[in-house]
């Protein structure tokens, strides 16, 4: 078997907050974690 | 103070590893995502700011690239990516898949992909979920006999660092990475790695929320434990949490005395201690949970077992028998 070491990325939230774009993003995105499971248009 | 639905939580960390595509190999960092089924990386054609911040595939530099031309949108929780299909050689260490179908991104939403630590995504869900009906990377590995066993497994460290967050094992299971027996649960819908959730308990009390059945998707591409929104208030009350714009806040000094959450899966009781579901960020503690507003495809309440759960349970994905195995992580 092949073993792939996984790195852990820095928090996207913290990076967006540091860049000053988090609040604006949260106001505009209607996020739902399940959205990714809806069959996408293709 | 309640400001808004704390969806900032989901923009947390992700775990990724290295693959290469093309001849000569072009390297990429990808999120290995059991919650989606497409393989895509940024391409040199992409003009979105997010692409400038990541490695980009250059088709003209690969002797083995074949364009396929079709364009599709692949949607994720925070937006969708436009890809154009092609095929090329995929390598993951000693694994080689020739003529693997893949997407080359043409457009990516700046937020949050610009800030992602990974370049692209390697989806590990079932082929029926793949946009454009493209062959998944795992299907290619199986067809070209690249895996000794038709399984893969994930270990996520309880104390992750940037350099070591865990391990993906393609083609096997590592007994060093878990303790006790593996509990198996059959996949209930061959789109994602979805299993039946028989029961949820908070501390010693069984909630009864799954009396009519619940479903749970095992998703390495989701960071948090995702709860059907109709249960969020009860959980906050039971755990003494306050909703703030930074998430569901709790007093860090209470963590030790908070109850464990228990999930009935495959006839076993999988416990999640407070140390696993409370995030402590510089002395500010929040619950590692978020709400979902949509039921599963068959209408039952849908939970998502993200990295927060998978740190506690080493997870085996059995492609031959369509089942998921859970064992307490080492």
């Amino acid at each position: 078997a092949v073993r792939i070491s996984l790195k852990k990325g820095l928090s996207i939230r913290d990076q967006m907050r540091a860049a000053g774009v988090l609040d604006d993003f949260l106001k505009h995105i209607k996020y739902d974690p399940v959205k990714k499971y809806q069959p996408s248009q293709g | 103070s309640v400001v808004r639905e704390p969806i900032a939580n989901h923009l947390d960390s992700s775990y990724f590893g290295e693959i290469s595509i093309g001849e000569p190999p072009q390297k990429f960092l990808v999120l290995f995502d059991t919650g989606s089924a497409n393989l895509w990386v940024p391409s040199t054609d992409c003009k979105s700011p997010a692409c400038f911040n990541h490695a980009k595939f250059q088709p003209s530099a690969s002797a083995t690239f074949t364009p396929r031309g079709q364009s599709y949108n692949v949607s994720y929780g925070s937006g969708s990516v436009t890809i154009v299909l092609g095929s090329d050689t995929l390598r993951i260490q000693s694994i080689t898949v020739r003529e693997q179908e893949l997407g080359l991104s043409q457009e990516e939403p700046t937020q949050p992909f610009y800030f992602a630590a990974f370049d692209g995504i390697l989806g590990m869900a079932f082929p029926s979920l793949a946009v454009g009906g493209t062959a998944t990377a795992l299907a290619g590995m199986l067809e070209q006999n690249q895996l000794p066993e038709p399984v893969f497994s994930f270990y996520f460290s309880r104390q992750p660092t940037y350099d070591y967050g865990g391990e993906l094992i393609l083609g096997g299971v590592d007994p060093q990475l878990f303790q006790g027996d593996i509990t198996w649960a059959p996949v209930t819908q061959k789109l994602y790695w979805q299993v039946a959730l028989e029961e949820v308990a908070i501390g010693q009390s069984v909630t009864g929320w799954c009396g009519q059945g619940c479903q749970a998707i095992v998703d390495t591409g989701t960071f948090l434990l995702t709860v059907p929104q109709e249960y969020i208030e009860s959980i906050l009350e039971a755990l003494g949490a306050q909703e703030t714009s930074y998430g569901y806040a709790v007093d860090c000094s209470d963590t030790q005395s908070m109850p464990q959450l228990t999930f009935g899966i495959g006839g076993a009781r999988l416990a999640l201690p407070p140390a696993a579901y409370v995030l402590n960020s510089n002395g500010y503690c929040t619950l590692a949970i978020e709400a979902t507003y949509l039921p599963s495809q068959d209408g039952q309440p849908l939970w998502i077992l993200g990295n927060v759960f998978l740190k506690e349970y080493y997870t085996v994905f059995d492609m031959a028998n369509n089942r998921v195995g859970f064992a307490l992580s080492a």
Side-chain angles (χ1 to χ4, degrees):
Chain A
V2 168
R3 180 187 291 269
I4 295 115
S5 177
L6 300 175
K7 293 183 183 297
K8 180 176 185 286
L10 296 176
S11 161
I12 294 177
R13 179 185 60 234
D14 292 349
Q15 293 184 77
M16 289 176 75
R17 182 177 286 120
V21 299
L22 181 62
D23 280 351
D24 193 49
F25 172 75
L26 294 179
K27 282 192 196 97
H28 292 103
I29 186 86
K30 183 59 199 123
Y31 168 81
D32 188 305
V34 175
K35 204 188 283 183
K36 74 187 275 192
Y37 307 129
Q38 311 304 313
S40 309
Q41 66 276 22
Chain B
S1 62
V2 176
V3 177
R4 71 172 75 83
E5 176 61 33
I7 59 173
N9 287 347
H10 76 277
L11 291 169
D12 215 297
S13 304
S14 49
Y15 297 77
F16 51 88
E18 188 175 285
I19 67 169
S20 75
I21 295 172
E23 194 61 61
Q26 298 177 42
K27 289 182 181 178
F28 296 93
L29 295 174
V30 294
L31 169 70
F32 291 98
D33 179 14
T34 60
S36 67
N38 284 81
L39 164 60
W40 65 266
V41 292
S43 80
T44 45
D45 297 336
C46 175
K47 301 305 176 226
S48 306
C51 294
F52 286 102
N53 202 28
H54 291 97
K56 289 176 283 299
F57 181 73
Q58 193 175 355
S60 57
S62 171
T64 46
F65 177 75
T66 307
R68 298 281 170 104
Q70 309 94 315
S71 170
Y72 292 101
N73 286 332
V74 189
S75 58
Y76 297 95
S78 303
S80 71
V81 173
T82 302
I83 60 172
V84 166
L85 297 187
S87 69
D88 208 332
T89 303
L90 164 66
R91 285 189 179 84
I92 307 176
Q93 293 185 24
S94 58
I95 290 173
T96 299
V97 181
R98 306 212 178 278
E99 296 185 20
Q100 170 61 48
E101 281 193 297
L102 69 144
L104 299 177
S105 72
Q106 308 295 304
E107 264 183 82
E108 297 178 26
T110 303
Q111 318 316 359
F113 284 101
Y114 180 88
F115 299 93
F118 52 85
D119 302 313
I121 295 180
L122 190 150
M124 306 179 89
F126 288 81
S128 40
L129 186 66
V131 169
T134 52
T136 63
L138 284 167
M141 292 177 211
L142 289 173
E143 275 158 29
Q144 298 182 32
N145 301 313
Q146 293 297 300
L147 300 180
E149 296 286 332
V151 301
F152 61 94
S153 52
F154 275 94
Y155 166 79
F156 290 102
S157 166
R158 289 188 183 89
Q159 309 296 335
T161 63
Y162 174 78
D163 286 323
Y164 184 76
E167 299 186 30
L168 162 60
I169 300 177
L170 288 171
V173 167
D174 181 350
Q176 306 285 320
L177 295 177
F178 66 92
Q179 49 192 304
D181 297 332
I182 295 177
T183 294
W184 292 101
V187 166
T188 51
Q189 185 180 36
K190 289 197 303 185
L191 272 171
Y192 347 90
W193 293 96
Q194 180 176 306
V195 297
L197 180 56
E198 296 141 0
E199 154 191 299
V200 175
I202 301 176
Q204 297 310 311
S205 62
V206 174
T207 62
W209 293 338
C210 295
Q212 304 303 313
C214 291
Q215 296 294 319
I217 291 178
V218 186
D219 185 358
T220 57
T222 291
F223 183 71
L224 299 174
L225 176 68
T226 302
V227 177
Q229 54 107 16
E230 59 264 37
Y231 305 138
I232 280 282
E233 288 308 325
S234 307
I235 287 183
L236 297 187
E237 192 178 329
L239 301 180
Q242 289 291 323
E243 187 173 346
T244 73
S245 61
Y246 277 77
Y248 302 120
V250 293
D251 187 331
C252 295
S253 58
D254 290 347
T255 305
Q256 297 298 327
S257 59
M258 288 170 73
Q260 70 181 18
L261 305 178
T262 306
F263 298 87
I265 297 176
R269 297 281 174 278
L270 305 182
L272 206 57
Y277 69 74
V278 175
L279 298 173
N280 185 330
S281 177
N282 304 320
Y284 190 82
C285 287
T286 53
L287 299 182
I289 65 172
E290 62 183 339
T292 175
Y293 302 85
L294 297 167
S296 65
Q297 306 257 333
D298 61 6
Q300 290 182 334
L302 178 62
W303 299 62
I304 305 173
L305 305 179
N307 298 127
V308 161
F309 182 89
L310 303 175
K311 280 182 189 174
E312 206 61 23
Y313 290 94
Y314 177 75
T315 311
V316 185
F317 300 80
D318 180 344
M319 296 182 276
N321 301 295
N322 295 321
R323 59 182 185 165
V324 183
F326 300 93
L328 191 61
S329 276

